[in-house]
Amino acid sequence: MAKKSKQEKGVNVKKKDDFSEWYTQVIRKAELMDYSVVSGCMVIRPYAYEMWEKIQSFIDKKIKTLGVKNAYFPLFIPESLLKKEKEHVEGFNPEVAWVTKTGNTKLSERLAIRPTSETIMYDSYKKWVRSYNDLPILINQWCNVVRWEFKHPMPFFRTREFLWQEGHTVHATKKQAEKEVLSILDIYTQVYEDLMAVPMLKGKKSEKEKFAGADYTLSVETFFPDGKAIQGATSHFLGQNFSKAFGIKFTDKDEKVRFAWQNSWGLTTRSIGVFLAIHGDDKGLIIPPKIAPVQVVIVPIIFEKTKNEVLKEAKKLKSELKSFSIKLDEREFYTPGWKFNHWEMKGVPLRIEIGPKDIEKKQVIVVRRDNSKKIVVKNKDLKKKIKELLDDIQKSLFNNAKKFLNNNIMEANNFNDFKKGIKNKNIVYAPWCGLKNCEELIKDKSGGAKSLNIPLNQKNLKSNNKCIQCNKDALFHAYFAKSY
Amino acid sequence: MAKKSKQEKGVNVKKKDDFSEWYTQVIRKAELMDYSVVSGCMVIRPYAYEMWEKIQSFIDKKIKTLGVKNAYFPLFIPESLLKKEKEHVEGFNPEVAWVTKTGNTKLSERLAIRPTSETIMYDSYKKWVRSYNDLPILINQWCNVVRWEFKHPMPFFRTREFLWQEGHTVHATKKQAEKEVLSILDIYTQVYEDLMAVPMLKGKKSEKEKFAGADYTLSVETFFPDGKAIQGATSHFLGQNFSKAFGIKFTDKDEKVRFAWQNSWGLTTRSIGVFLAIHGDDKGLIIPPKIAPVQVVIVPIIFEKTKNEVLKEAKKLKSELKSFSIKLDEREFYTPGWKFNHWEMKGVPLRIEIGPKDIEKKQVIVVRRDNSKKIVVKNKDLKKKIKELLDDIQKSLFNNAKKFLNNNIMEANNFNDFKKGIKNKNIVYAPWCGLKNCEELIKDKSGGAKSLNIPLNQKNLKSNNKCIQCNKDALFHAYFAKSY
């Protein structure tokens, strides 16, 4: 059989020309996902799931340090339970998938597939909380949820079923709850910035954009090459809204009965799509080393005469570098050129090429995925150099993304500049009153801009700042953009 | 406030008097689970979920060594897809939960909540397999599944939603597939025997009891104190049944197109219930050290005068023993006696008691949960001794369970003895023809006995052995019992 030397069908659009088409092509061709027969639902293939496992492990470790433990609550929520918190049900009802039949039997009450688990979890919590001794309850679950949206689905970003973690905690005091909601926001920032090399804008969601049933929502947001922002994760301070609806109360130290304070917080498989979309280029994915399932791929350059010698050396290298996630592609069916393209498409941070001449010179060629630079490295320096290069790629991806984000933020102090910024596909940072109806007007007048969030540290607000749209006194600066 | 010294409401039946009542009381009182508003579905609380995480980690590591990778496929299966393999749909249809509506819209085709994922996964596999180069596909997923059974639900053993892993692999040859199906059975045996200290009977399921759609099913089975057997996990050789139904075929090395060979295999959260039910006693749970969320609990014996000194020493101990999963119960609200009962109920393998006199003598009291023995240990020997005791408890729990299992297996060579054995709540080992209708007659005539499995190594079958029931030639010996 002839060797496969022709390129696999690569991505046939440029990222800057058609971001959405580029994205959907690259994640499919790199075998990260596949469409399924169920409209709006996707298959997460092993190469992407390995990255989800790294995200899980990062977050799981951090939240366990805070004392959070994992548990599992039922997938089903009876309709009557879902309706217990008014704003909550209004927020989710239109997207609920309903089980109405089991086998051949019609159910007497239909069951929602959880769109989120506040209601089913808090129905248990009310039984578990009696005294201040029972608090805090710090529980998280890793699970699937279903929101039957009718907006255009985008793999990872918006699918009708997705995976996530949802933390649900109960506290005796408002102070404790508010402290935690911030700690979680920090963890979400870290997992994006440290693991996925994606810089984040931290802040508080507006009244209009907060979670249905929360007192307030904190979020991390970032920005895509197509000029749209995307929400990365959210941490909600629920106040006493649910504890009052569900009767989660406790006898405090002073023997008084009080309603508890609650938080919920979640990060989803959307995060995979976020970092892939940000770091890739026209050749395919670029995966940050810390989250890469394969950090280094060795491609032996094989000629019939020197085949055994080269393969032996390649195996030796693999074994020497086993502290990294390393793969030796020794498939004979494919040419080196085919393999270069294949692993570039899959975003492997470093490629090692080794041929007979390299063996003579006791060296290898190392190629960086992020900037295509070729480096000749002596065997004796290889392990140290690989470590350095991986660290440098991780940093460099983050710095480039940070630069891109910062370059796309503009300040506006009048609504004309604001509209210009939105039209130019920027994030606009502007003084604002924060009111719901004002946000609706901003959206209408600007061609679709929404508030992303309101930074927690308000540095440059002056006492005479006026709202960008309605000219009332501004309470803070907020970020605005079109968004996913 | 007065200290709580009265015992929590303990288990008020003896395990040997009413096993089922004992079990449901103990798992609830030890805070392993709670009932939910959805009939037949339960909450897995953190203390049990931590044990599931240990089971997950054990299995995940082993299957990854075999080259298996994790992935995630949709929760929903369109009705037409579920129907593609005839035996399979007949097996699962009566238990399927159906989504018929989303928001206010009726679906044009109703969606099954996965009772198992063969059909949704193989619909993707058929797209991924073209050539022998694409094989094997070795994929597993950790997820929830729903089987809306109408039998009496039992927490962990039989719930309408449960968690599991399901491995689904595709091979180029029958030989490779059959080798794997055995390797997986070994992993299931190991996770039960090594981690959970539960001995298993390995074998092949009968034609009647095999998985709907499999050529054959291998299983591990064990035995409960109430005289009923329970299936621990299954590994199915699917042959080409699904590959033919779904069109999973490949061009082989010789350029011929062949249907692939497939396996599927799963282990569920039932496993948690299995080891809890086997090892507990009238005081509550006994958790094998290797899977215990808390291996050692330190209970300080506190008097007002020596309180600070004792707490300081207890903290020092905790820090010295941090290589174990250790907990210091320093809650002032509860008396030492209350704490003893509490942690015994929760099955913690070792308790360390430390009071002022012990400090003087540079010693502590160590109490084993499995046999209540108290051991005085000098501080300097403590770390080594704890390690020895935990190892010994793990071994001893397994040996006791193994003895119990063996003592309950009896051989029968005629149907009268067979019936007597079943009536006496034994596992009966008997020569058998293996036929479906014979198994139905055995069940009817013996008051409900089913075959558990047929051991893979048939040592003592003689050429003149006749089937225990129909007197035809026996093909093998099999285990029979009443079962869950």
Side-chain angles (χ1 to χ4, degrees):
Chain A
M1 238 181 278
K3 278 199 189 185
K4 274 203 189 175
S5 61
K6 261 193 234 163
Q7 164 62 326
E8 297 171 284
K9 251 184 144 176
V11 183
N12 61 25
V13 290
K14 289 192 185 307
K15 190 177 181 185
K16 70 171 168 39
D17 294 342
D18 188 343
F19 169 74
S20 158
E21 177 62 23
W22 169 86
Y23 173 76
T24 48
Q25 279 193 24
V26 76
I27 56 171
R28 198 156 174 218
K29 289 180 177 172
E31 300 184 324
L32 286 157
M33 59 73 63
D34 205 352
Y35 296 102
S36 84
V37 281
V38 185
S39 148
C41 295
M42 63 178 259
V43 177
I44 302 178
R45 298 184 70 172
Y47 196 53
Y49 200 88
E50 276 190 77
M51 304 191 229
W52 181 236
E53 287 176 321
K54 291 204 159 62
I55 293 169
Q56 286 187 305
S57 156
F58 186 102
I59 293 177
D60 212 61
K61 216 169 153 183
K62 298 263 179 194
I63 61 178
K64 279 178 177 162
T65 308
L66 295 182
V68 176
K69 304 221 170 202
N70 291 327
Y72 188 76
F73 287 74
L75 171 71
F76 299 116
I77 306 172
E79 185 166 17
S80 54
L81 202 59
L82 194 67
K83 285 182 171 166
K84 269 207 166 177
E85 211 286 341
K86 196 175 153 286
E87 285 184 25
H88 186 69
V89 68
E90 281 169 8
F92 287 103
N93 228 9
E95 300 175 356
V96 168
W98 293 103
V99 173
T100 59
K101 253 188 135 173
T102 60
N104 290 314
T105 314
K106 198 168 172 269
L107 290 173
S108 59
E109 180 182 16
R110 58 185 191 165
L111 301 172
I113 311 284
R114 62 176 163 234
T116 178
S117 297
E118 277 75 5
T119 53
I120 188 79
M121 288 172 90
Y122 305 167
D123 186 63
S124 284
Y125 285 7
K126 75 160 189 258
K127 293 188 283 179
W128 301 344
V129 177
R130 289 283 171 271
S131 137
Y132 71 93
N133 276 308
D134 302 322
L135 296 177
I137 291 180
L138 307 173
I139 286 181
N140 176 67
Q141 72 180 5
W142 293 95
C143 66
N144 54 340
V145 282
V146 172
R147 297 180 186 174
W148 208 267
E149 296 194 62
F150 290 91
K151 286 190 213 165
H152 183 60
M154 275 279 272
F156 296 111
F157 301 145
R158 181 180 296 113
T159 51
R160 284 171 171 172
E161 183 192 12
F162 55 86
L163 304 181
W164 75 348
Q165 59 66 220
E166 48 178 327
H168 293 268
T169 62
V170 190
H171 304 263
T173 66
K174 187 172 185 238
K175 198 176 155 192
Q176 282 170 326
E178 290 197 277
K179 190 181 161 200
E180 183 201 74
V181 97
L182 273 172
S183 304
I184 296 297
L185 197 71
D186 283 341
I187 292 175
Y188 291 156
T189 312
Q190 286 163 30
V191 72
Y192 271 110
E193 300 200 336
D194 298 353
L195 189 70
M196 300 182 252
V198 174
M200 284 284 151
L201 300 173
K202 286 161 73 171
K204 194 187 227 176
K205 297 296 266 188
S206 68
E207 274 303 301
K208 182 171 180 289
E209 295 294 326
K210 74 177 185 185
F211 177 72
D215 267 11
Y216 61 79
T217 290
L218 305 181
S219 77
V220 289
E221 315 264 342
T222 195
F223 197 62
F224 271 1
D226 65 343
K228 280 191 192 167
I230 187 156
Q231 179 176 290
T234 46
S235 180
H236 315 295
F237 173 65
L238 303 176
Q240 295 178 315
N241 301 325
F242 285 89
S243 68
K244 284 178 179 168
F246 283 83
I248 305 173
K249 47 195 177 183
F250 65 100
T251 306
D252 212 340
K253 284 181 189 168
D254 59 7
E255 308 268 347
K256 283 193 180 138
V257 174
R258 295 197 162 85
F259 285 105
W261 299 88
Q262 293 184 265
N263 296 330
S264 71
W265 29 272
L267 180 141
T268 80
T269 36
R270 164 184 281 195
S271 53
I272 301 169
V274 169
F275 80 82
L276 295 175
I278 285 183
H279 300 306
D281 66 16
D282 294 343
K283 289 193 277 183
L285 302 175
I286 300 175
I287 304 181
K290 283 190 189 171
I291 198 171
V294 181
Q295 296 178 308
V296 185
V297 62
I298 303 173
V299 178
I301 311 300
I302 289 174
F303 303 96
E304 208 43 50
K305 232 173 72 184
T306 48
K307 184 176 146 183
N308 290 343
E309 187 191 356
V310 169
L311 275 180
K312 194 179 152 198
E313 182 67 17
K315 278 177 193 163
K316 202 178 131 214
L317 279 183
K318 185 187 168 188
S319 150
E320 282 168 16
L321 298 173
K322 68 178 175 226
S323 57
F324 306 100
S325 298
I326 192 152
K327 189 170 183 81
L328 166 60
D329 188 348
E330 49 182 327
R331 293 178 290 177
E332 298 200 12
F333 191 65
Y334 301 106
T335 62
W338 186 95
K339 290 176 185 175
F340 294 172
N341 290 328
H342 176 76
W343 296 109
E344 276 173 356
M345 166 77 88
K346 293 200 126 194
V348 173
L350 285 178
R351 174 174 83 230
I352 295 177
E353 305 172 8
I354 176 157
K357 284 186 186 156
D358 300 309
I359 296 179
E360 275 172 31
K361 294 183 192 161
K362 296 185 178 171
Q363 68 181 35
V364 295
I365 313 289
V366 180
V367 186
R368 283 173 72 137
R369 174 65 183 88
D370 63 334
N371 61 14
S372 303
K373 275 189 188 147
K374 287 195 170 201
I375 307 132
V376 177
V377 184
K378 290 290 169 193
N379 287 350
K380 65 178 173 49
D381 305 325
L382 189 57
K383 199 168 168 184
K384 190 166 153 260
K385 191 67 189 172
I386 295 285
K387 170 90 177 64
E388 282 170 19
L389 286 169
L390 291 174
D391 287 351
D392 193 63
I393 294 172
Q394 183 83 26
K395 255 182 241 155
S396 158
L397 288 173
F398 179 77
N399 290 341
N400 289 343
K402 182 94 179 170
K403 211 177 291 168
F404 173 78
L405 175 64
N406 288 341
N407 287 346
N408 278 283
I409 299 174
M410 64 156 281
E411 288 198 38
N413 284 301
N414 64 65
F415 203 59
N416 264 342
D417 286 355
F418 183 99
K419 284 190 287 187
K420 213 181 288 170
I422 297 297
K423 209 184 154 194
N424 288 339
K425 300 190 172 178
N426 286 128
I427 297 176
V428 182
Y429 187 64
W432 188 37
C433 65
L435 295 175
K436 220 168 184 169
N437 64 342
C438 180
E439 178 153 13
E440 273 155 22
L441 287 169
I442 288 175
K443 194 177 172 187
D444 287 348
K445 291 185 185 174
S446 68
K450 293 197 291 186
S451 69
L452 308 181
N453 62 26
I454 301 152
L456 301 178
N457 297 321
Q458 291 282 334
K459 281 174 204 157
N460 44 2
L461 190 74
K462 291 165 200 148
S463 60
N464 60 349
N465 272 138
K466 297 295 174 189
C467 170
I468 192 79
Q469 194 272 138
C470 68
N471 223 31
K472 283 187 191 130
D473 282 348
L475 297 181
F476 32 67
H477 276 78
Y479 292 115
F480 293 86
K482 290 192 190 173
S483 65
Y484 275 89
Chain B
M1 237 182 281
K3 279 200 189 185
K4 276 203 188 176
S5 60
K6 263 194 232 162
Q7 165 62 328
E8 296 171 285
K9 254 187 143 172
V11 183
N12 60 26
V13 291
K14 289 194 184 304
K15 188 177 181 184
K16 71 170 168 33
D17 293 343
D18 188 344
F19 169 74
S20 160
E21 177 63 22
W22 170 86
Y23 173 76
T24 48
Q25 279 192 24
V26 76
I27 55 169
R28 199 158 173 216
K29 289 180 176 171
E31 300 183 323
L32 287 157
M33 58 72 64
D34 204 352
Y35 296 102
S36 84
V37 280
V38 185
S39 147
C41 294
M42 64 178 259
V43 178
I44 302 178
R45 298 184 71 171
Y47 196 54
Y49 200 88
E50 277 190 76
M51 303 192 230
W52 182 236
E53 288 177 319
K54 290 204 160 60
I55 293 169
Q56 286 187 305
S57 155
F58 187 103
I59 292 177
D60 212 61
K61 216 169 152 183
K62 297 263 180 195
I63 61 177
K64 279 178 176 161
T65 308
L66 296 182
V68 176
K69 305 223 168 200
N70 291 327
Y72 187 77
F73 286 74
L75 171 69
F76 299 117
I77 306 173
E79 184 166 18
S80 54
L81 202 59
L82 194 68
K83 285 183 170 165
K84 269 207 166 176
E85 210 287 338
K86 195 174 154 289
E87 284 184 28
H88 185 69
V89 67
E90 282 169 8
F92 286 102
N93 228 10
E95 299 175 357
V96 168
W98 294 104
V99 173
T100 59
K101 252 187 134 174
T102 60
N104 291 313
T105 314
K106 197 169 174 268
L107 289 174
S108 59
E109 180 181 14
R110 57 185 192 166
L111 300 171
I113 310 284
R114 61 177 164 234
T116 177
S117 298
E118 277 75 6
T119 53
I120 188 79
M121 289 172 90
Y122 305 168
D123 186 62
S124 284
Y125 285 6
K126 76 162 188 255
K127 294 187 282 179
W128 300 344
V129 178
R130 289 284 172 269
S131 135
Y132 71 93
N133 276 307
D134 302 321
L135 296 176
I137 291 179
L138 307 173
I139 287 180
N140 176 67
Q141 72 179 7
W142 293 95
C143 65
N144 55 339
V145 282
V146 172
R147 297 178 187 176
W148 208 266
E149 296 194 61
F150 290 91
K151 286 189 209 163
H152 184 60
M154 274 281 269
F156 297 110
F157 302 146
R158 183 180 294 114
T159 50
R160 285 172 170 171
E161 184 192 10
F162 55 87
L163 304 181
W164 76 348
Q165 58 67 221
E166 49 177 327
H168 293 268
T169 62
V170 190
H171 304 263
T173 67
K174 187 172 186 241
K175 198 176 156 193
Q176 282 171 324
E178 289 197 278
K179 190 181 162 203
E180 184 202 73
V181 96
L182 274 171
S183 304
I184 296 296
L185 197 72
D186 283 342
I187 292 175
Y188 290 156
T189 311
Q190 287 163 29
V191 72
Y192 271 109
E193 300 199 338
D194 297 353
L195 188 71
M196 300 183 252
V198 174
M200 284 284 151
L201 300 172
K202 286 161 74 170
K204 193 188 226 174
K205 297 296 266 188
S206 69
E207 274 303 301
K208 182 169 180 290
E209 295 294 327
K210 73 176 187 187
F211 177 72
D215 267 11
Y216 61 79
T217 289
L218 304 181
S219 78
V220 289
E221 316 264 342
T222 195
F223 198 61
F224 271 180
D226 65 343
K228 280 190 192 169
I230 188 157
Q231 179 176 290
T234 46
S235 180
H236 314 296
F237 173 64
L238 303 176
Q240 295 178 313
N241 301 326
F242 285 89
S243 67
K244 284 178 179 167
F246 282 82
I248 304 174
K249 49 195 177 181
F250 64 98
T251 306
D252 211 339
K253 284 182 189 169
D254 60 6
E255 308 268 347
K256 282 192 181 141
V257 174
R258 295 197 163 84
F259 284 106
W261 299 88
Q262 292 183 266
N263 295 330
S264 71
W265 29 273
L267 180 142
T268 81
T269 36
R270 163 183 282 193
S271 52
I272 301 169
V274 169
F275 80 82
L276 295 175
I278 285 182
H279 300 306
D281 67 14
D282 293 343
K283 290 194 275 183
L285 302 175
I286 300 175
I287 303 182
K290 282 192 190 171
I291 198 171
V294 181
Q295 296 178 309
V296 185
V297 63
I298 304 173
V299 178
I301 312 298
I302 290 174
F303 303 96
E304 208 44 47
K305 232 173 69 182
T306 47
K307 183 176 147 184
N308 289 342
E309 188 192 354
V310 169
L311 276 180
K312 195 180 149 196
E313 182 66 17
K315 278 176 193 163
K316 203 177 129 210
L317 279 183
K318 186 188 169 188
S319 148
E320 282 168 15
L321 298 174
K322 69 177 175 225
S323 57
F324 306 100
S325 298
I326 191 150
K327 189 172 183 80
L328 166 60
D329 189 349
E330 49 181 326
R331 293 178 291 177
E332 298 199 11
F333 191 67
Y334 301 106
T335 61
W338 186 95
K339 291 176 185 174
F340 295 172
N341 290 329
H342 176 77
W343 296 110
E344 277 173 357
M345 166 76 89
K346 292 200 130 196
V348 173
L350 286 179
R351 173 174 85 231
I352 295 177
E353 304 172 9
I354 176 157
K357 284 186 188 157
D358 301 309
I359 295 180
E360 275 171 30
K361 295 184 192 161
K362 296 185 180 171
Q363 68 179 35
V364 296
I365 314 288
V366 181
V367 186
R368 283 174 72 137
R369 175 62 184 90
D370 63 334
N371 61 14
S372 302
K373 275 188 189 144
K374 287 195 171 203
I375 308 132
V376 176
V377 184
K378 290 289 169 195
N379 286 350
K380 65 177 172 53
D381 306 325
L382 189 57
K383 198 168 167 183
K384 190 168 153 255
K385 191 69 189 171
I386 295 285
K387 169 90 177 63
E388 280 170 20
L389 285 169
L390 290 175
D391 288 350
D392 193 62
I393 293 173
Q394 183 82 26
K395 255 182 241 155
S396 159
L397 288 173
F398 179 78
N399 290 340
N400 289 343
K402 180 97 181 170
K403 211 179 292 167
F404 173 79
L405 175 64
N406 288 340
N407 288 345
N408 277 284
I409 298 174
M410 63 155 281
E411 289 197 39
N413 285 300
N414 63 65
F415 204 60
N416 265 341
D417 285 355
F418 183 98
K419 283 190 288 188
K420 213 180 289 170
I422 296 298
K423 209 182 156 197
N424 288 340
K425 300 189 172 179
N426 285 128
I427 295 176
V428 182
Y429 186 65
W432 189 36
C433 67
L435 295 175
K436 219 167 185 171
N437 65 341
C438 179
E439 179 153 14
E440 273 155 21
L441 287 170
I442 289 175
K443 193 176 171 186
D444 286 349
K445 291 185 185 173
S446 68
K450 293 196 292 187
S451 69
L452 307 181
N453 61 27
I454 301 150
L456 300 179
N457 298 320
Q458 290 283 334
K459 281 173 201 156
N460 44 3
L461 191 75
K462 290 166 200 148
S463 61
N464 60 350
N465 271 138
K466 296 294 175 193
C467 171
I468 192 79
Q469 194 271 138
C470 68
N471 223 30
K472 285 187 189 128
D473 283 348
L475 298 181
F476 33 68
H477 276 77
Y479 293 114
F480 293 86
K482 289 191 190 175
S483 65
Y484 275 89

